[in-house]
Amino acid sequence: MLLSAPGRGPILSFDFPLSRSAAQARLAEFLPYAGEAYAKHRNEERGQGQHHAVSRLSAALRRRLVSESEIAEAVVRMHGAGPAGKFIGELYWRTYWKGWLEQHPSVWRDWRRACARWAEQGLPEGYSAAIEGRTGIDAFDAWARELRETGYLHNWARMQFASIWIFTLRLPWELGAAFTFRHFVDADAASNTLSWRWVAGLHTSGKAYLADAERIRVQTGGRFDPKGLALTADVPRETCTAEPGRIRTPTAPDLRLPALLLLTPEDLSLETEAHLEVLDVRRVVACRVHCSRAADLAAVADGLQRASTHWGVRALWVDDMEAVLAVAQAEGAGQIVTGYAPVGPIADSLAAYREGTRIAEHRRAWDEQAWPYCRKGYFALAQHIPALLGAAALAPLPA
Ligand SMILES: Cc1cc2nc3c(=O)[nH]c(=O)nc-3n(C[C@H](O)[C@H](O)[C@H](O)COP(=O)(O)OP(=O)(O)OC[C@H]3O[C@@H](n4cnc5c(N)ncnc54)[C@H](O)[C@@H]3O)c2cc1C
């Protein structure tokens, strides 16, 4: 569906780049707006098909069709580290959630278990009305419909949606997270689960996020006038007090061993990593079980094509990990090389095969350098951003 967008031309209502070239084109188109304009307008929620003030790069970034460092480099080059600070800070929120979950993997497992319990015991009253957008709360209902139709919600809408779900509709946050995880085109184990926990007051001790009717009216340009929102949030007394665990150390790719390259939606631009240039790749494969949604299939198909051209080998789709092992054996590959799988469904799938198989994971410098600072609150990471950008040669180190 074509929608008109004042000043910026018509856009598609469902326009999330799912190939590397489309992501690069989106980045180029958005770059002029990633500096002061982003800082000023990013929280304005303009409605379905009108989210021009934000990049809508999340579906591509989540699959690393483009990487954080490529995006940060382009934004800093155009605007300078200061004016680009707000956008870079948001990129690092993604990194923060990934690094935090990596060091608290039980939070992911507990969420999965809670969802399984709800599936067994039956869904609570009010759940169907919420997911179908029939609650009578205008903003919430519109966002529920937008999410189902497009796979996307603006960040600010996600915060209001989660807050109304938890504090006004009094539905379990775990089920809300399951609903958005199912529908987001950028569904990410860390950003989704941990953002819901943050809204619910489970991440920062004594702090929850309460949606406010007047702010919704203002931020949505008067499109909505939500009635009956909760005026207080029951902040849970218990946040996650578990001490952060160690970051998993993956087996690194061995550049001397023949490799089967396994592409998953965790990293679809491995050919851009200079370190892997000389890898002896015998075949590139992708596994259908790792692609739970149409967007994954589209993005992985694009990744396969690029990797196949880059390493000059044939690409192959297989059904499952057993088939991946069989191809590795047939090709005489001593290792299966893949992008690092952080805590989430792909890591769960690979875990069962790590024993007895050399699964080597390439972890990007961006994560290696930032994750050690993602043990507690975001601001412990934020204060290192200038140094992290400096280490990545994207901006000068602070004096
Ligand atoms: C309840 C809830 C659930 C969420 N679930 C997801 C999810 O499953 N997957 C996901 O990628 N993001 C999630 N987010 C974060 C954020 O809403 C999206 O990343 C953002 O809306 C994507 O739109 P964009 O690409 O236009 O963002 P932009 O504003 O253009 O930001 C650029 C990039 O920075 C990252 N980013 C921006 N804001 C955040 C944030 N608050 N947290 C983490 N990363 C951020 C994203 O990768 C994004 O693509 C969630 C937020 C909330 C409140």
Side-chain angles (χ1 to χ4, degrees):
M1 175 174 48
L2 275 175
L3 299 164
S4 69
R8 301 272 298 272
I11 59 163
L12 288 170
S13 66
F14 187 95
D15 66 339
F16 305 104
L18 291 170
S19 69
R20 181 164 166 80
S21 58
Q24 286 170 323
R26 167 62 54 76
L27 175 59
E29 176 204 325
F30 183 71
L31 265 185
Y33 305 92
E36 279 162 12
Y38 181 82
K40 199 164 163 203
H41 299 295
R42 76 197 168 93
N43 278 337
E44 292 164 14
E45 205 285 318
R46 299 171 184 182
Q48 187 165 330
Q50 303 291 331
H51 303 303
H52 294 297
V54 290
S55 71
R56 289 155 290 128
L57 275 166
S58 52
L61 189 51
R62 188 261 165 275
R63 297 172 178 87
R64 282 199 164 140
L65 289 165
V66 284
S67 67
E68 291 86 342
S69 56
E70 288 174 309
I71 295 177
E73 187 187 351
V75 174
V76 170
R77 202 184 326 115
M78 177 170 283
H79 296 282
K86 202 73 210 164
F87 187 83
I88 299 290
E90 295 303 320
L91 274 184
Y92 271 105
W93 266 104
R94 170 181 159 74
T95 305
Y96 169 69
W97 290 134
K98 304 254 19 131
W100 195 92
L101 193 61
E102 218 46 29
Q103 294 169 85
H104 301 82
S106 62
V107 168
W108 167 250
R109 288 195 297 271
D110 290 349
W111 173 65
R112 302 272 284 208
R113 274 193 217 110
C115 293
R117 274 198 304 276
W118 280 109
E120 261 171 40
Q121 77 193 46
L123 296 164
E125 206 186 324
Y127 173 82
S128 299
I131 64 165
E132 287 163 17
R134 294 187 286 103
T135 65
I137 302 171
D138 56 6
F140 183 93
D141 290 348
W143 287 324
R145 283 195 298 274
E146 179 178 353
L147 173 55
R148 294 169 74 110
E149 280 171 28
T150 69
Y152 181 82
L153 286 183
H154 183 282
N155 177 60
W156 197 80
R158 294 184 198 206
M159 287 159 57
Q160 317 314 307
F161 184 85
S163 178
I164 296 170
W165 179 287
I166 297 165
F167 299 119
T168 298
L169 302 176
R170 297 191 159 271
L171 289 164
W173 74 268
E174 293 95 334
L175 286 180
F179 172 60
T180 54
F181 193 72
R182 196 158 60 244
H183 289 282
F184 280 152
V185 67
D186 58 25
D188 180 89
S191 290
N192 187 61
T193 317
L194 300 179
S195 297
W196 272 88
R197 283 173 48 87
W198 177 84
V199 171
L202 288 161
H203 189 75
T204 313
S205 186
K207 254 181 102 174
Y209 183 83
L210 187 64
D212 174 75
E214 180 52 25
R215 280 207 72 203
I216 293 178
R217 269 191 290 277
V218 172
Q219 295 299 113
T220 61
R223 289 194 340 275
F224 301 120
D225 184 18
K227 300 276 191 264
L229 298 196
L231 298 176
T232 53
D234 300 332
V235 183
R237 245 178 267 142
E238 305 239 327
T239 51
C240 177
T241 46
E243 275 305 302
R246 290 186 27 190
I247 297 170
R248 181 168 69 82
T249 307
T251 302
D254 183 336
L255 299 178
R256 295 159 310 180
L257 276 184
L260 179 73
L261 187 67
L262 170 65
L263 291 191
T264 78
E266 297 294 4
D267 196 326
L268 292 171
S269 55
L270 288 172
E271 79 281 2
T272 63
E273 288 287 90
H275 175 70
L276 298 178
E277 185 68 37
V278 295
L279 197 64
D280 176 11
V281 176
R282 299 292 166 94
R283 190 72 93 95
V284 190
V285 290
C287 212
R288 286 190 190 86
V289 288
H290 294 154
C291 297
S292 54
R293 51 198 85 220
D296 289 331
L297 288 169
V300 171
D302 176 71
L304 275 183
Q305 201 173 33
R306 276 180 287 105
S308 160
T309 306
H310 181 81
W311 276 285
V313 293
R314 282 172 50 215
L316 186 69
W317 277 100
V318 297
D319 284 338
D320 52 27
M321 280 302 291
E322 294 298 333
V324 171
L325 299 186
V327 178
Q329 199 173 26
E331 295 291 338
Q335 59 182 339
I336 296 169
V337 173
T338 191
Y340 182 80
V343 171
I346 306 272
D348 291 348
S349 151
L350 295 182
Y353 294 90
R354 282 206 188 93
E355 296 263 312
T357 314
R358 191 182 166 89
I359 297 185
E361 291 166 87
H362 174 69
R363 192 155 62 203
R364 290 181 182 250
W366 180 277
D367 296 336
E368 288 277 345
Q369 288 161 3
W371 284 358
Y373 302 117
C374 305
R375 296 165 66 78
K376 302 269 176 179
Y378 172 76
F379 293 99
L381 168 66
Q383 62 183 336
H384 292 282
I385 291 176
L388 289 167
L389 291 176
L394 301 182
L397 286 161

